[in-house]
mmCIF file of all heavy atoms in Angstrom:
data_model
loop_
_atom_site.group_PDB
_atom_site.id
_atom_site.type_symbol
_atom_site.label_atom_id
_atom_site.label_comp_id
_atom_site.label_asym_id
_atom_site.label_seq_id
_atom_site.Cartn_x
_atom_site.Cartn_y
_atom_site.Cartn_z
ATOM 1 N N LYS A 28 13.875 11.616 6.443
ATOM 2 C CA LYS A 28 12.686 10.767 6.584
ATOM 3 C C LYS A 28 12.543 10.287 8.019
ATOM 4 O O LYS A 28 13.507 9.866 8.652
ATOM 5 C CB LYS A 28 12.795 9.565 5.645
ATOM 6 C CG LYS A 28 12.390 9.841 4.227
ATOM 7 C CD LYS A 28 12.496 8.588 3.360
ATOM 8 C CE LYS A 28 12.153 8.882 1.914
ATOM 9 N NZ LYS A 28 12.335 7.698 1.050
ATOM 10 N N GLY A 29 11.316 10.357 8.518
ATOM 11 C CA GLY A 29 11.043 9.923 9.882
ATOM 12 C C GLY A 29 11.299 10.996 10.916
ATOM 13 O O GLY A 29 10.924 10.833 12.083
ATOM 14 N N ARG A 30 11.963 12.080 10.520
ATOM 15 C CA ARG A 30 12.269 13.157 11.474
ATOM 16 C C ARG A 30 11.564 14.469 11.119
ATOM 17 O O ARG A 30 11.194 15.233 12.016
ATOM 18 C CB ARG A 30 13.779 13.404 11.524
ATOM 19 C CG ARG A 30 14.590 12.199 11.939
ATOM 20 C CD ARG A 30 16.052 12.554 12.162
ATOM 21 N NE ARG A 30 16.689 13.030 10.935
ATOM 22 C CZ ARG A 30 17.269 14.236 10.818
ATOM 23 N NH1 ARG A 30 17.279 15.083 11.836
ATOM 24 N NH2 ARG A 30 17.846 14.590 9.678
ATOM 25 N N PHE A 31 11.416 14.732 9.840
ATOM 26 C CA PHE A 31 10.799 15.976 9.368
ATOM 27 C C PHE A 31 9.413 15.686 8.795
ATOM 28 O O PHE A 31 9.181 14.634 8.203
ATOM 29 C CB PHE A 31 11.640 16.617 8.263
ATOM 30 C CG PHE A 31 12.949 17.197 8.713
ATOM 31 C CD1 PHE A 31 13.484 16.935 9.968
ATOM 32 C CD2 PHE A 31 13.679 18.008 7.849
ATOM 33 C CE1 PHE A 31 14.702 17.460 10.370
ATOM 34 C CE2 PHE A 31 14.889 18.546 8.234
ATOM 35 C CZ PHE A 31 15.395 18.272 9.496
ATOM 36 N N THR A 32 8.516 16.647 8.962
ATOM 37 C CA THR A 32 7.174 16.537 8.394
ATOM 38 C C THR A 32 6.805 17.843 7.711
ATOM 39 O O THR A 32 6.864 18.908 8.339
ATOM 40 C CB THR A 32 6.131 16.218 9.476
ATOM 41 O OG1 THR A 32 6.492 15.002 10.149
ATOM 42 C CG2 THR A 32 4.755 16.048 8.851
ATOM 43 N N ILE A 33 6.443 17.751 6.448
ATOM 44 C CA ILE A 33 5.999 18.924 5.711
ATOM 45 C C ILE A 33 4.477 18.942 5.683
ATOM 46 O O ILE A 33 3.827 17.904 5.588
ATOM 47 C CB ILE A 33 6.587 18.946 4.281
ATOM 48 C CG1 ILE A 33 6.292 20.278 3.590
ATOM 49 C CG2 ILE A 33 6.089 17.761 3.450
ATOM 50 C CD1 ILE A 33 7.026 20.447 2.267
ATOM 51 N N SER A 34 3.917 20.140 5.787
ATOM 52 C CA SER A 34 2.469 20.275 5.708
ATOM 53 C C SER A 34 2.138 21.590 5.024
ATOM 54 O O SER A 34 2.980 22.486 4.921
ATOM 55 C CB SER A 34 1.836 20.206 7.104
ATOM 56 O OG SER A 34 2.311 21.254 7.928
ATOM 57 N N ARG A 35 0.916 21.677 4.568
ATOM 58 C CA ARG A 35 0.493 22.836 3.788
ATOM 59 C C ARG A 35 -0.903 23.232 4.234
ATOM 60 O O ARG A 35 -1.766 22.370 4.398
ATOM 61 C CB ARG A 35 0.527 22.479 2.299
ATOM 62 C CG ARG A 35 0.140 23.561 1.323
ATOM 63 C CD ARG A 35 0.438 23.068 -0.103
ATOM 64 N NE ARG A 35 -0.040 24.005 -1.094
ATOM 65 C CZ ARG A 35 0.143 23.869 -2.413
ATOM 66 N NH1 ARG A 35 0.810 22.828 -2.875
ATOM 67 N NH2 ARG A 35 -0.325 24.755 -3.256
ATOM 68 N N ASP A 36 -1.116 24.506 4.439
ATOM 69 C CA ASP A 36 -2.422 25.041 4.789
ATOM 70 C C ASP A 36 -2.840 26.000 3.689
ATOM 71 O O ASP A 36 -2.394 27.156 3.656
ATOM 72 C CB ASP A 36 -2.361 25.755 6.151
ATOM 73 C CG ASP A 36 -3.724 26.179 6.662
ATOM 74 O OD1 ASP A 36 -4.636 26.376 5.823
ATOM 75 O OD2 ASP A 36 -3.865 26.329 7.877
ATOM 76 N N ASN A 37 -3.663 25.519 2.777
ATOM 77 C CA ASN A 37 -4.054 26.350 1.634
ATOM 78 C C ASN A 37 -4.883 27.552 2.065
ATOM 79 O O ASN A 37 -4.831 28.612 1.428
ATOM 80 C CB ASN A 37 -4.824 25.505 0.620
ATOM 81 C CG ASN A 37 -3.933 24.504 -0.086
ATOM 82 O OD1 ASN A 37 -2.740 24.749 -0.297
ATOM 83 N ND2 ASN A 37 -4.493 23.359 -0.444
ATOM 84 N N ALA A 38 -5.650 27.402 3.136
ATOM 85 C CA ALA A 38 -6.473 28.518 3.608
ATOM 86 C C ALA A 38 -5.609 29.677 4.097
ATOM 87 O O ALA A 38 -5.987 30.843 3.992
ATOM 88 C CB ALA A 38 -7.406 28.051 4.711
ATOM 89 N N LYS A 39 -4.428 29.344 4.640
ATOM 90 C CA LYS A 39 -3.515 30.367 5.131
ATOM 91 C C LYS A 39 -2.384 30.648 4.152
ATOM 92 O O LYS A 39 -1.470 31.414 4.463
ATOM 93 C CB LYS A 39 -2.925 29.937 6.479
ATOM 94 C CG LYS A 39 -3.952 29.838 7.595
ATOM 95 C CD LYS A 39 -3.287 29.484 8.917
ATOM 96 C CE LYS A 39 -4.310 29.432 10.041
ATOM 97 N NZ LYS A 39 -3.683 29.104 11.350
ATOM 98 N N ASN A 40 -2.426 29.985 2.997
ATOM 99 C CA ASN A 40 -1.363 30.176 1.999
ATOM 100 C C ASN A 40 0.016 29.984 2.631
ATOM 101 O O ASN A 40 0.921 30.819 2.458
ATOM 102 C CB ASN A 40 -1.463 31.562 1.359
ATOM 103 C CG ASN A 40 -2.762 31.754 0.610
ATOM 104 O OD1 ASN A 40 -3.273 30.822 0.007
ATOM 105 N ND2 ASN A 40 -3.296 32.953 0.678
ATOM 106 N N SER A 41 0.148 28.894 3.355
ATOM 107 C CA SER A 41 1.393 28.653 4.085
ATOM 108 C C SER A 41 1.826 27.204 3.955
ATOM 109 O O SER A 41 1.009 26.305 3.747
ATOM 110 C CB SER A 41 1.219 28.999 5.566
ATOM 111 O OG SER A 41 0.971 30.373 5.753
ATOM 112 N N VAL A 42 3.130 27.009 4.098
ATOM 113 C CA VAL A 42 3.688 25.670 4.155
ATOM 114 C C VAL A 42 4.620 25.618 5.362
ATOM 115 O O VAL A 42 5.250 26.628 5.718
ATOM 116 C CB VAL A 42 4.431 25.308 2.846
ATOM 117 C CG1 VAL A 42 5.614 26.226 2.615
ATOM 118 C CG2 VAL A 42 4.838 23.855 2.833
ATOM 119 N N TYR A 43 4.670 24.451 5.996
ATOM 120 C CA TYR A 43 5.409 24.310 7.243
ATOM 121 C C TYR A 43 6.374 23.137 7.151
ATOM 122 O O TYR A 43 6.163 22.194 6.384
ATOM 123 C CB TYR A 43 4.448 24.080 8.411
ATOM 124 C CG TYR A 43 3.350 25.106 8.500
ATOM 125 C CD1 TYR A 43 2.103 24.855 7.929
ATOM 126 C CD2 TYR A 43 3.562 26.324 9.129
ATOM 127 C CE1 TYR A 43 1.093 25.796 7.994
ATOM 128 C CE2 TYR A 43 2.554 27.274 9.202
ATOM 129 C CZ TYR A 43 1.318 27.005 8.625
ATOM 130 O OH TYR A 43 0.327 27.945 8.692
ATOM 131 N N LEU A 44 7.416 23.205 7.966
ATOM 132 C CA LEU A 44 8.339 22.081 8.080
ATOM 133 C C LEU A 44 8.600 21.849 9.556
ATOM 134 O O LEU A 44 9.278 22.659 10.200
ATOM 135 C CB LEU A 44 9.643 22.355 7.336
ATOM 136 C CG LEU A 44 10.610 21.178 7.259
ATOM 137 C CD1 LEU A 44 10.028 20.063 6.369
ATOM 138 C CD2 LEU A 44 11.976 21.604 6.712
ATOM 139 N N GLN A 45 8.039 20.770 10.081
ATOM 140 C CA GLN A 45 8.285 20.383 11.462
ATOM 141 C C GLN A 45 9.534 19.510 11.481
ATOM 142 O O GLN A 45 9.578 18.470 10.818
ATOM 143 C CB GLN A 45 7.094 19.614 12.034
ATOM 144 C CG GLN A 45 7.297 19.117 13.445
ATOM 145 C CD GLN A 45 7.412 20.237 14.462
ATOM 146 O OE1 GLN A 45 6.664 21.207 14.399
ATOM 147 N NE2 GLN A 45 8.349 20.117 15.390
ATOM 148 N N MET A 46 10.522 19.934 12.237
ATOM 149 C CA MET A 46 11.804 19.227 12.274
ATOM 150 C C MET A 46 12.047 18.709 13.685
ATOM 151 O O MET A 46 12.171 19.511 14.623
ATOM 152 C CB MET A 46 12.938 20.166 11.849
ATOM 153 C CG MET A 46 12.710 20.799 10.485
ATOM 154 S SD MET A 46 14.105 21.788 9.928
ATOM 155 C CE MET A 46 14.103 23.101 11.156
ATOM 156 N N ASN A 47 12.104 17.405 13.825
ATOM 157 C CA ASN A 47 12.344 16.765 15.112
ATOM 158 C C ASN A 47 13.656 15.999 15.079
ATOM 159 O O ASN A 47 14.199 15.713 14.013
ATOM 160 C CB ASN A 47 11.200 15.814 15.453
ATOM 161 C CG ASN A 47 9.863 16.512 15.557
ATOM 162 O OD1 ASN A 47 9.774 17.669 15.981
ATOM 163 N ND2 ASN A 47 8.802 15.815 15.177
ATOM 164 N N SER A 48 14.150 15.656 16.264
ATOM 165 C CA SER A 48 15.394 14.887 16.384
ATOM 166 C C SER A 48 16.501 15.500 15.540
ATOM 167 O O SER A 48 17.191 14.803 14.785
ATOM 168 C CB SER A 48 15.151 13.429 15.967
ATOM 169 O OG SER A 48 14.145 12.834 16.743
ATOM 170 N N LEU A 49 16.655 16.783 15.674
ATOM 171 C CA LEU A 49 17.623 17.497 14.842
ATOM 172 C C LEU A 49 19.046 17.067 15.146
ATOM 173 O O LEU A 49 19.401 16.758 16.296
ATOM 174 C CB LEU A 49 17.468 19.003 15.032
ATOM 175 C CG LEU A 49 16.265 19.599 14.288
ATOM 176 C CD1 LEU A 49 15.879 20.947 14.857
ATOM 177 C CD2 LEU A 49 16.577 19.716 12.802
ATOM 178 N N LYS A 50 19.854 17.056 14.086
ATOM 179 C CA LYS A 50 21.252 16.645 14.161
ATOM 180 C C LYS A 50 22.143 17.815 13.721
ATOM 181 O O LYS A 50 21.695 18.680 12.956
ATOM 182 C CB LYS A 50 21.495 15.454 13.242
ATOM 183 C CG LYS A 50 20.595 14.264 13.497
ATOM 184 C CD LYS A 50 20.849 13.177 12.458
ATOM 185 C CE LYS A 50 19.950 11.974 12.685
ATOM 186 N NZ LYS A 50 20.186 10.906 11.675
ATOM 187 N N PRO A 51 23.393 17.819 14.146
ATOM 188 C CA PRO A 51 24.301 18.883 13.693
ATOM 189 C C PRO A 51 24.374 18.989 12.168
ATOM 190 O O PRO A 51 24.500 20.097 11.626
ATOM 191 C CB PRO A 51 25.641 18.474 14.297
ATOM 192 C CG PRO A 51 25.276 17.725 15.535
ATOM 193 C CD PRO A 51 24.026 16.980 15.179
ATOM 194 N N GLU A 52 24.251 17.871 11.479
ATOM 195 C CA GLU A 52 24.313 17.909 10.012
ATOM 196 C C GLU A 52 23.067 18.518 9.370
ATOM 197 O O GLU A 52 23.020 18.701 8.151
ATOM 198 C CB GLU A 52 24.557 16.507 9.444
ATOM 199 C CG GLU A 52 23.624 15.436 9.954
ATOM 200 C CD GLU A 52 24.217 14.646 11.103
ATOM 201 O OE1 GLU A 52 24.842 15.266 12.011
ATOM 202 O OE2 GLU A 52 24.046 13.411 11.107
ATOM 203 N N ASP A 53 22.054 18.822 10.157
ATOM 204 C CA ASP A 53 20.902 19.549 9.643
ATOM 205 C C ASP A 53 21.152 21.057 9.595
ATOM 206 O O ASP A 53 20.320 21.805 9.077
ATOM 207 C CB ASP A 53 19.668 19.281 10.508
ATOM 208 C CG ASP A 53 19.214 17.838 10.461
ATOM 209 O OD1 ASP A 53 19.200 17.251 9.347
ATOM 210 O OD2 ASP A 53 18.870 17.287 11.524
ATOM 211 N N THR A 54 22.264 21.498 10.132
ATOM 212 C CA THR A 54 22.604 22.915 10.119
ATOM 213 C C THR A 54 22.723 23.419 8.682
ATOM 214 O O THR A 54 23.476 22.862 7.879
ATOM 215 C CB THR A 54 23.927 23.158 10.862
ATOM 216 O OG1 THR A 54 23.746 22.838 12.243
ATOM 217 C CG2 THR A 54 24.368 24.614 10.727
ATOM 218 N N ALA A 55 21.966 24.455 8.369
ATOM 219 C CA ALA A 55 21.928 24.986 7.010
ATOM 220 C C ALA A 55 21.004 26.196 6.973
ATOM 221 O O ALA A 55 20.291 26.470 7.944
ATOM 222 C CB ALA A 55 21.419 23.929 6.029
ATOM 223 N N VAL A 56 21.026 26.889 5.850
ATOM 224 C CA VAL A 56 19.991 27.874 5.562
ATOM 225 C C VAL A 56 18.870 27.139 4.834
ATOM 226 O O VAL A 56 19.114 26.450 3.839
ATOM 227 C CB VAL A 56 20.525 29.035 4.706
ATOM 228 C CG1 VAL A 56 19.391 30.010 4.387
ATOM 229 C CG2 VAL A 56 21.663 29.747 5.430
ATOM 230 N N TYR A 57 17.674 27.286 5.342
ATOM 231 C CA TYR A 57 16.514 26.602 4.769
ATOM 232 C C TYR A 57 15.705 27.601 3.943
ATOM 233 O O TYR A 57 15.361 28.690 4.418
ATOM 234 C CB TYR A 57 15.654 26.006 5.880
ATOM 235 C CG TYR A 57 16.252 24.750 6.466
ATOM 236 C CD1 TYR A 57 17.412 24.798 7.246
ATOM 237 C CD2 TYR A 57 15.680 23.499 6.225
ATOM 238 C CE1 TYR A 57 17.983 23.653 7.765
ATOM 239 C CE2 TYR A 57 16.244 22.346 6.745
ATOM 240 C CZ TYR A 57 17.388 22.432 7.504
ATOM 241 O OH TYR A 57 17.951 21.275 8.021
ATOM 242 N N TYR A 58 15.398 27.174 2.720
ATOM 243 C CA TYR A 58 14.679 28.026 1.771
ATOM 244 C C TYR A 58 13.344 27.404 1.418
ATOM 245 O O TYR A 58 13.267 26.228 1.040
ATOM 246 C CB TYR A 58 15.482 28.203 0.486
ATOM 247 C CG TYR A 58 16.803 28.907 0.658
ATOM 248 C CD1 TYR A 58 17.961 28.179 0.905
ATOM 249 C CD2 TYR A 58 16.895 30.293 0.557
ATOM 250 C CE1 TYR A 58 19.181 28.813 1.058
ATOM 251 C CE2 TYR A 58 18.115 30.935 0.702
ATOM 252 C CZ TYR A 58 19.250 30.191 0.958
ATOM 253 O OH TYR A 58 20.454 30.826 1.095
ATOM 254 N N CYS A 59 12.314 28.194 1.503
ATOM 255 C CA CYS A 59 11.004 27.791 1.033
ATOM 256 C C CYS A 59 10.909 28.096 -0.459
ATOM 257 O O CYS A 59 11.480 29.094 -0.935
ATOM 258 C CB CYS A 59 9.952 28.580 1.805
ATOM 259 S SG CYS A 59 8.267 28.345 1.276
ATOM 260 N N TYR A 60 10.200 27.253 -1.198
ATOM 261 C CA TYR A 60 10.004 27.543 -2.622
ATOM 262 C C TYR A 60 8.566 27.216 -3.016
ATOM 263 O O TYR A 60 7.891 26.419 -2.381
ATOM 264 C CB TYR A 60 11.003 26.769 -3.491
ATOM 265 C CG TYR A 60 10.633 25.336 -3.740
ATOM 266 C CD1 TYR A 60 9.950 24.957 -4.902
ATOM 267 C CD2 TYR A 60 10.955 24.342 -2.820
ATOM 268 C CE1 TYR A 60 9.601 23.632 -5.113
ATOM 269 C CE2 TYR A 60 10.614 23.028 -3.031
ATOM 270 C CZ TYR A 60 9.941 22.674 -4.185
ATOM 271 O OH TYR A 60 9.600 21.364 -4.398
ATOM 272 N N ALA A 61 8.151 27.835 -4.105
ATOM 273 C CA ALA A 61 6.840 27.551 -4.689
ATOM 274 C C ALA A 61 7.003 27.489 -6.196
ATOM 275 O O ALA A 61 7.723 28.301 -6.785
ATOM 276 C CB ALA A 61 5.844 28.640 -4.305
ATOM 277 N N ARG A 62 6.350 26.523 -6.804
ATOM 278 C CA ARG A 62 6.444 26.353 -8.253
ATOM 279 C C ARG A 62 5.079 26.600 -8.885
ATOM 280 O O ARG A 62 4.072 26.006 -8.485
ATOM 281 C CB ARG A 62 6.961 24.961 -8.589
ATOM 282 C CG ARG A 62 7.268 24.776 -10.062
ATOM 283 C CD ARG A 62 8.174 23.581 -10.288
ATOM 284 N NE ARG A 62 9.487 23.792 -9.695
ATOM 285 C CZ ARG A 62 10.100 22.897 -8.913
ATOM 286 N NH1 ARG A 62 9.516 21.754 -8.614
ATOM 287 N NH2 ARG A 62 11.293 23.148 -8.426
ATOM 288 N N LYS A 63 5.091 27.478 -9.861
ATOM 289 C CA LYS A 63 3.866 27.843 -10.586
ATOM 290 C C LYS A 63 4.165 27.720 -12.057
ATOM 291 O O LYS A 63 4.999 28.458 -12.587
ATOM 292 C CB LYS A 63 3.469 29.269 -10.221
ATOM 293 C CG LYS A 63 2.244 29.791 -10.917
ATOM 294 C CD LYS A 63 1.916 31.193 -10.429
ATOM 295 C CE LYS A 63 0.734 31.768 -11.160
ATOM 296 N NZ LYS A 63 0.393 33.125 -10.689
ATOM 297 N N TYR A 64 3.528 26.764 -12.700
ATOM 298 C CA TYR A 64 3.835 26.422 -14.092
ATOM 299 C C TYR A 64 5.327 26.111 -14.177
ATOM 300 O O TYR A 64 5.803 25.218 -13.495
ATOM 301 C CB TYR A 64 3.418 27.550 -15.031
ATOM 302 C CG TYR A 64 1.944 27.908 -14.948
ATOM 303 C CD1 TYR A 64 1.529 29.181 -14.566
ATOM 304 C CD2 TYR A 64 0.953 26.953 -15.236
ATOM 305 C CE1 TYR A 64 0.197 29.501 -14.480
ATOM 306 C CE2 TYR A 64 -0.386 27.267 -15.146
ATOM 307 C CZ TYR A 64 -0.765 28.540 -14.771
ATOM 308 O OH TYR A 64 -2.094 28.870 -14.691
ATOM 309 N N SER A 65 6.084 26.816 -14.957
ATOM 310 C CA SER A 65 7.513 26.528 -15.086
ATOM 311 C C SER A 65 8.389 27.466 -14.258
ATOM 312 O O SER A 65 9.613 27.393 -14.333
ATOM 313 C CB SER A 65 7.937 26.614 -16.551
ATOM 314 O OG SER A 65 7.684 27.915 -17.055
ATOM 315 N N ASP A 66 7.781 28.330 -13.478
ATOM 316 C CA ASP A 66 8.528 29.305 -12.688
ATOM 317 C C ASP A 66 8.660 28.842 -11.243
ATOM 318 O O ASP A 66 7.717 28.303 -10.671
ATOM 319 C CB ASP A 66 7.830 30.664 -12.713
ATOM 320 C CG ASP A 66 7.824 31.269 -14.107
ATOM 321 O OD1 ASP A 66 8.828 31.100 -14.837
ATOM 322 O OD2 ASP A 66 6.812 31.898 -14.474
ATOM 323 N N THR A 67 9.828 29.074 -10.668
ATOM 324 C CA THR A 67 10.077 28.745 -9.267
ATOM 325 C C THR A 67 10.385 30.028 -8.508
ATOM 326 O O THR A 67 11.214 30.837 -8.948
ATOM 327 C CB THR A 67 11.245 27.766 -9.133
ATOM 328 O OG1 THR A 67 10.941 26.576 -9.862
ATOM 329 C CG2 THR A 67 11.464 27.388 -7.676
ATOM 330 N N TYR A 68 9.741 30.179 -7.368
ATOM 331 C CA TYR A 68 9.922 31.357 -6.531
ATOM 332 C C TYR A 68 10.541 30.918 -5.201
ATOM 333 O O TYR A 68 10.228 29.844 -4.686
ATOM 334 C CB TYR A 68 8.578 32.047 -6.283
ATOM 335 C CG TYR A 68 7.907 32.505 -7.552
ATOM 336 C CD1 TYR A 68 7.053 31.653 -8.242
ATOM 337 C CD2 TYR A 68 8.139 33.775 -8.068
ATOM 338 C CE1 TYR A 68 6.443 32.049 -9.415
ATOM 339 C CE2 TYR A 68 7.525 34.187 -9.240
ATOM 340 C CZ TYR A 68 6.681 33.324 -9.915
ATOM 341 O OH TYR A 68 6.092 33.736 -11.078
ATOM 342 N N TRP A 69 11.399 31.784 -4.642
ATOM 343 C CA TRP A 69 12.154 31.452 -3.444
ATOM 344 C C TRP A 69 11.954 32.483 -2.346
ATOM 345 O O TRP A 69 11.794 33.677 -2.621
ATOM 346 C CB TRP A 69 13.652 31.397 -3.770
ATOM 347 C CG TRP A 69 14.016 30.339 -4.748
ATOM 348 C CD1 TRP A 69 14.113 30.464 -6.101
ATOM 349 C CD2 TRP A 69 14.328 28.972 -4.451
ATOM 350 N NE1 TRP A 69 14.470 29.264 -6.664
ATOM 351 C CE2 TRP A 69 14.608 28.330 -5.683
ATOM 352 C CE3 TRP A 69 14.393 28.227 -3.269
ATOM 353 C CZ2 TRP A 69 14.955 26.979 -5.755
ATOM 354 C CZ3 TRP A 69 14.742 26.894 -3.359
ATOM 355 C CH2 TRP A 69 15.014 26.284 -4.583
ATOM 356 N N GLY A 70 12.009 31.998 -1.117
ATOM 357 C CA GLY A 70 12.083 32.893 0.017
ATOM 358 C C GLY A 70 13.519 33.325 0.247
ATOM 359 O O GLY A 70 14.436 32.893 -0.456
ATOM 360 N N GLN A 71 13.705 34.148 1.259
ATOM 361 C CA GLN A 71 15.031 34.707 1.537
ATOM 362 C C GLN A 71 15.905 33.751 2.348
ATOM 363 O O GLN A 71 17.112 33.959 2.442
ATOM 364 C CB GLN A 71 14.893 36.050 2.273
ATOM 365 C CG GLN A 71 14.660 35.938 3.772
ATOM 366 C CD GLN A 71 13.257 35.504 4.150
ATOM 367 O OE1 GLN A 71 12.376 35.343 3.298
ATOM 368 N NE2 GLN A 71 13.022 35.326 5.454
ATOM 369 N N GLY A 72 15.308 32.742 2.917
ATOM 370 C CA GLY A 72 16.057 31.758 3.700
ATOM 371 C C GLY A 72 16.023 32.056 5.185
ATOM 372 O O GLY A 72 15.930 33.215 5.599
ATOM 373 N N THR A 73 16.100 30.998 5.978
ATOM 374 C CA THR A 73 16.158 31.135 7.430
ATOM 375 C C THR A 73 17.225 30.171 7.956
ATOM 376 O O THR A 73 17.279 29.005 7.537
ATOM 377 C CB THR A 73 14.788 30.888 8.078
ATOM 378 O OG1 THR A 73 14.868 31.144 9.487
ATOM 379 C CG2 THR A 73 14.285 29.469 7.872
ATOM 380 N N GLN A 74 18.057 30.659 8.846
ATOM 381 C CA GLN A 74 19.179 29.867 9.341
ATOM 382 C C GLN A 74 18.715 28.912 10.436
ATOM 383 O O GLN A 74 18.029 29.315 11.382
ATOM 384 C CB GLN A 74 20.266 30.780 9.904
ATOM 385 C CG GLN A 74 21.447 30.051 10.523
ATOM 386 C CD GLN A 74 22.308 29.347 9.504
ATOM 387 O OE1 GLN A 74 22.657 29.907 8.465
ATOM 388 N NE2 GLN A 74 22.684 28.098 9.783
#
């Protein structure tokens, strides 16, 4: 909170994560997901 901002552009069918003031503990593989009814879909992840 206060460091990351999520946004969504429906026209481009995209979602974004702006990450500021990054810390070593933010190190991870980040996965995008989308939920449609009861199904969840995942991206491949980005380090």
